[in-house]
Amino acid sequence: MTTVRDIETFLYAWAPRETAESWDNVGLLVGRGDREVRRVLAALDVTPAVAAEAAELGADLIVAHHPVMNVRWHEQEMQTLRDDTRLGGLLTYLVRHDLSAICMHTNLDAAAGGVNEVLAQKLGLSDLKMLTEEKIGRIGTLKCEIPLVEFTHSVIELLKCNGLRYVDAGRPVHRVAVGGGACGCYIPQAIAAGCDTFVTSDLKYNDFLDTEGLNLIDAGHFPTENVVCPALRDRLAEAFPAVDVLCSTSHSREIIQYCIKEK
């Protein structure tokens, strides 16, 4: 029998708890460790749609990247547990449907084969190196130097972006830094490492305005991190062959609908 705790232990062996940022909230966040697991749903986030999908599929566990609750993000909402708030309603739904949730966040960003390595490989980078001492981000090289516009088209296609923002520093693309999610704070490290291009997300106006000598590409938070979900599914399926492991389909639809509404 495979338990929730067995899966958490396996995930920590891959992405150790001590590599998570001090403010982060990782591991088993909802449910019982001794509960048997027969079906897992992997997703970037534990959203209401993902929770409903898990319940409909008969899953016992959701394994996600972003923490379903974190005081850094949900300080006010975590003062109560009420089903008439977004977080309270989501947590109540998980408990009522006996759904456990394990979340691996900044530790999965740093892990070998985690978010940033998968992102780099997806974009065709090789000879990968760490971008930061905390193992957040990766640096790699393309097989050959290409124009920035050509590279942006590849990013959109490979990550299935709904679009992206970029600034052209007048340099072709060859040595590239990547940072899944919001990694604009690591622009100095990308420049210091001699990169010509940095692919990340959630960049601010002044990031584009003030950065010199580095092509910046904001490909979106969801596209730059959701690439890890198939890797998560495959690792769990290989480690626990008796468990059915699926990737969420509802979360990608949810993001696409949101983007369309915002246009």
Side-chain angles (χ1 to χ4, degrees):
M1 180 181 79
T2 299
T3 67
V4 171
R5 188 69 68 196
D6 291 334
I7 292 177
E8 182 190 43
T9 299
F10 169 78
L11 290 171
Y12 272 145
W14 174 23
R17 177 189 284 271
E18 57 268 22
T19 62
E21 296 289 335
S22 59
W23 52 264
D24 209 356
N25 191 23
V26 298
L28 176 58
L29 304 186
V30 179
R32 306 191 323 269
D34 61 355
R35 187 188 173 190
E36 181 179 3
V37 176
R38 289 157 298 195
R39 178 167 290 171
V40 175
L41 185 65
L44 189 66
D45 301 274
V46 185
T47 67
V50 168
E53 181 184 10
E56 183 177 346
L57 291 171
D60 309 293
L61 171 66
I62 299 171
V63 176
H65 179 47
H66 292 131
V68 65
M69 50 184 167
N70 186 318
V71 291
R72 182 169 177 173
W73 304 336
H74 307 119
E75 182 177 0
Q76 294 302 316
E77 288 185 274
M78 289 182 67
Q79 301 298 314
T80 62
L81 182 58
R82 293 170 37 182
D83 60 10
D84 62 345
T85 66
R86 182 191 179 281
L87 181 60
L90 175 58
L91 294 175
T92 301
Y93 184 94
L94 293 172
V95 172
R96 284 175 176 166
H97 289 81
D98 202 15
L99 287 165
S100 301
I102 293 174
C103 301
M104 296 283 156
H105 189 212
T106 51
N107 52 330
L108 190 57
D109 287 328
V115 172
N116 289 294
E117 281 197 9
V118 173
L119 174 59
Q121 292 163 357
K122 189 77 173 177
L123 294 179
L125 304 179
S126 59
D127 301 322
L128 300 183
K129 299 176 176 59
M130 304 296 178
L131 176 61
T132 73
E133 292 181 359
E134 300 80 18
K135 301 182 180 179
I136 301 299
R138 296 293 187 273
I139 297 168
T141 56
L142 295 175
K143 289 181 180 179
C144 60
E145 190 177 273
I146 62 173
L148 175 61
V149 171
E150 181 180 337
F151 183 65
T152 61
H153 291 165
S154 295
V155 172
I156 290 172
E157 181 180 354
L158 293 169
L159 301 187
K160 297 180 172 59
C161 303
N162 205 40
L164 51 72
R165 301 183 298 152
Y166 74 96
V167 65
D168 187 344
R171 303 180 65 184
V173 181
H174 187 232
R175 184 171 173 81
V176 182
V178 301
C183 290
C185 58
Y186 301 125
I187 289 173
Q189 285 89 333
I191 294 173
C195 297
D196 50 67
T197 306
F198 187 19
V199 181
T200 185
S201 77
D202 299 356
L203 293 173
K204 298 178 181 178
Y205 176 77
N206 65 285
D207 293 326
F208 289 109
L209 188 66
D210 298 338
T211 301
E212 297 181 348
L214 181 71
N215 302 318
L216 288 179
I217 299 176
D218 186 329
H221 205 116
F222 183 85
T224 58
E225 292 193 323
N226 195 56
V227 291
V228 80
C229 289
L232 189 57
R233 174 199 60 203
D234 293 347
R235 280 184 180 252
L236 288 173
E238 182 179 1
F240 303 98
V243 176
D244 187 20
V245 188
L246 307 170
C247 276
S248 172
T249 59
S250 67
H251 193 23
S252 60
R253 291 198 302 268
E254 195 175 34
I255 294 295
I256 291 169
Q257 290 168 359
Y258 174 78
C259 291
I260 290 172
K261 289 177 182 176
E262 285 293 292
K263 284 184 176 179

